[in-house]
Amino acid sequence: MKLNTLLIPALSAAFAASAYAGAPAKAPAQVQPPVVEEDTSLGFSLTAGYDTDYVYRGVRFAQNLVTVAVDGNIPFTDVLSLNVGAWFGTSADDSYVGTGDSYHELDLYAALLADLGPVTVGLKYQYYLFEGDAGDVLDDINEVGVLISSTVGPVDVIGGAYYDESADGFYFEAGVSKTIEITDRISLVPAALVSYAIDYYGVDGFNHIKVSLAAPIKLTKTATLTPYIAGNIPIDALDDLGEEDRVYGGVSLSVSF
């Protein structure tokens, strides 16, 4: 009796231990890797827009301008890329400042860009073709330029120096801008720019100041609507030529693909 009393608990404990040791362990939960969405875009964008006034480099050329543009970047290496594009603008009415008639302009450009880390530099060629009544007054233009851009703290900085073959003159500009995120979809982008010219269509000296405020609205992953308002302030020689201070604005819709 005493032996049974000792053996039964011992055997029960041994069987229990054996059963526990032989029980299969619970398999750990498999963690699925995050799904990385592949970027299949070509690096191009298509933009359509409207401007109450077409003001370029401080000079108003026409009113009620309707525009369409395509722009894209073609990477060669991690450093070098080619920016190419075309821009077409036409006045919705007969508002060309030169004659009071129609205004049509086609720009074609290409820029070789080098991303050097702190700064991006580039060499750009642009061809300006004028059609309609503007083509009877303005000569087509071949222009080459040097570009530079960088980010200094929270501010984006740009600069450019251009040689115009038709004018046999030079145009220089420098600008700053800052993107302020209001929501995940809406931003504000204040910007300012100042220009200087040498033998550039009658301008020698400071040319104009431009201030602007854009509000990009991200409609979808690929579509952005951007209304803007801007102020043009002719200074020095351009002011002497009779160009007036002007407030204008517009809106554009850009789709990337």
Side-chain angles (χ1 to χ4, degrees):
M1 183 71 178
K2 188 173 182 180
L3 181 60
N4 290 340
T5 303
L6 294 175
L7 287 176
I8 291 175
L11 290 174
S12 299
F15 282 125
S18 175
Y20 179 78
K26 184 177 180 181
Q30 293 185 353
V31 179
Q32 298 295 332
V35 177
V36 178
E37 188 172 343
E38 184 179 357
D39 184 6
T40 59
S41 66
L42 300 177
F44 279 73
S45 64
L46 179 65
T47 303
Y50 167 79
D51 303 277
T52 60
D53 295 83
Y54 175 37
V55 180
Y56 185 66
R57 294 183 175 174
V59 176
R60 186 181 72 162
F61 288 87
Q63 294 177 285
N64 296 315
L65 196 75
V66 178
T67 63
V68 61
V70 61
D71 180 272
N73 285 299
I74 304 171
F76 295 143
T77 68
D78 292 339
V79 174
L80 292 177
S81 64
L82 181 67
N83 173 240
V84 294
W87 177 94
F88 178 74
T90 180
S91 58
D93 52 14
D94 293 335
S95 61
Y96 171 46
V97 173
T99 62
D101 296 311
S102 63
Y103 184 88
H104 313 293
E105 178 185 335
L106 173 65
D107 299 347
L108 304 173
Y109 59 87
L112 182 63
L113 305 176
D115 184 353
L116 304 179
V119 299
T120 297
V121 296
L123 181 64
K124 182 178 182 180
Y125 167 77
Q126 184 154 329
Y127 176 67
Y128 302 80
L129 172 66
F130 301 98
E131 299 178 335
D133 297 296
D136 297 331
V137 179
L138 301 173
D139 293 329
D140 296 343
I141 297 171
N142 290 287
E143 181 183 83
V144 293
V146 177
L147 315 173
I148 185 168
S149 63
S150 183
T151 300
V152 181
V155 178
D156 295 322
V157 181
I158 61 167
Y162 307 89
Y163 171 72
D164 185 311
E165 182 185 39
S166 296
D168 193 19
F170 296 87
Y171 173 86
F172 308 88
E173 65 182 17
V176 294
S177 65
K178 175 176 172 57
T179 300
I180 304 170
E181 292 188 358
I182 305 302
T183 70
D184 291 341
R185 293 183 175 272
I186 302 174
S187 300
L188 290 177
V189 185
L193 179 146
V194 62
S195 67
Y196 188 90
I198 300 174
D199 292 331
Y200 188 74
Y201 298 103
V203 176
D204 273 297
F206 283 102
N207 186 70
H208 82 299
I209 294 172
K210 176 183 176 181
V211 292
S212 63
L213 178 64
I217 304 168
K218 194 171 184 179
L219 302 178
T220 68
K221 182 180 177 180
T222 59
T224 302
L225 182 71
T226 306
Y228 79 93
I229 187 171
N232 181 58
I233 307 170
I235 53 177
D236 201 2
L238 188 60
D239 184 39
D240 294 339
L241 290 175
E243 193 67 34
E244 298 179 357
D245 295 351
R246 198 174 310 279
V247 176
Y248 59 100
V251 63
S252 64
L253 176 63
S254 179
V255 178
S256 60
F257 58 93

